[in-house]
Amino acid sequence: MSSLVATWQPQSGGLPKRQLNLVLAPMDDVPMKLQSWWMHSFGNSTLAALTRLLPPFICWELWKARNKACFEDVVATSTSLLQQITMQLHTGLVLLLVYPSKRRAIALSWSYPIRPYVKLNIDGSSLGNPGDSGGGGLIRDDSRRFLCGFSSYYRWHTNTHAEASALLEGIQLYLLPGYAHAMVELDSLTLLNVVQGWSKFP
């Protein structure tokens, strides 16, 4: 086991520095390190809650910066990233203080399928809803092995249309190699209700 000692200093300067003192198992995989950090931040204090919020805030801001660099040709500096993460923490602190009993951290992770199933994960979105849209997906087996994937541009459509297009393309991709059984995961409740026959397509 290794101990990670970090400090947290509010920008107001009115509060003293606090050590996080997280005990983490040595590992090379960054996602596992973040998950371990999150799961080992015990306690009901505001500091413990902020410690649990920090890893997803960091990942979220890095993801947004990556997308801006890829699609808008805007490269973020380390200073701007730190400022955005700090703003997220301040927002999280306000929510924790205003709604202390209604906010809690929940650990979510991708679960692998059980043989003989493979799992298809898809997602789609549009810039503007409607607007330029796209989607993608990937298939993994019961040993977490990546089998195949896709990403596509769907032109001017809504978010739901992009989600549906990604689902269709993912199913077509799944059928090509002749996989016998598949599980599908998506994050659109609207599309899920349509596929299961619980509601009509908008």
Side-chain angles (χ1 to χ4, degrees), residues 58-87:
I58 292 174
C59 292
W60 176 242
E61 291 303 328
L62 288 174
W63 174 249
K64 290 198 300 182
R66 177 261 181 198
N67 285 339
K68 282 191 174 183
C70 289
F71 304 114
E72 301 177 23
D73 201 24
V74 177
V75 179
T77 64
S78 58
T79 301
S80 64
L81 279 172
L82 288 173
Q83 288 175 345
Q84 287 298 118
I85 294 168
T86 302
M87 288 177 58

Side-chain angles (χ1 to χ4, degrees), residues 24-102:
L24 306 178
M27 58 190 74
D28 296 326
D29 187 75
V30 173
M32 290 301 295
K33 283 183 178 180
L34 289 173
Q35 184 176 0
S36 181
W37 178 356
W38 194 359
M39 298 303 296
H40 285 82
S41 54
F42 299 110
N44 296 319
S45 67
T46 301
L47 180 63
L50 286 174
T51 304
R52 289 191 291 270
L53 289 175
L54 189 54
F57 283 169
I58 292 174
C59 292
W60 176 242
E61 291 303 328
L62 288 174
W63 174 249
K64 290 198 300 182
R66 177 261 181 198
N67 285 339
K68 282 191 174 183
C70 289
F71 304 114
E72 301 177 23
D73 201 24
V74 177
V75 179
T77 64
S78 58
T79 301
S80 64
L81 279 172
L82 288 173
Q83 288 175 345
Q84 287 298 118
I85 294 168
T86 302
M87 288 177 58
Q88 292 276 13
L89 280 176
H90 286 172
T91 303
L93 177 59
V94 170
L95 291 175
L96 288 169
L97 293 177
V98 176
Y99 307 104
S101 62
K102 297 181 180 180

Side-chain angles (χ1 to χ4, degrees), residues 170-189:
I171 291 174
Q172 291 171 338
L173 181 67
Y174 152 76
L175 292 174
L176 286 176
Y179 297 122
H181 306 280
M183 302 173 63
V184 179
E185 284 186 345
L186 61 156
D187 62 358
S188 171
L189 182 59

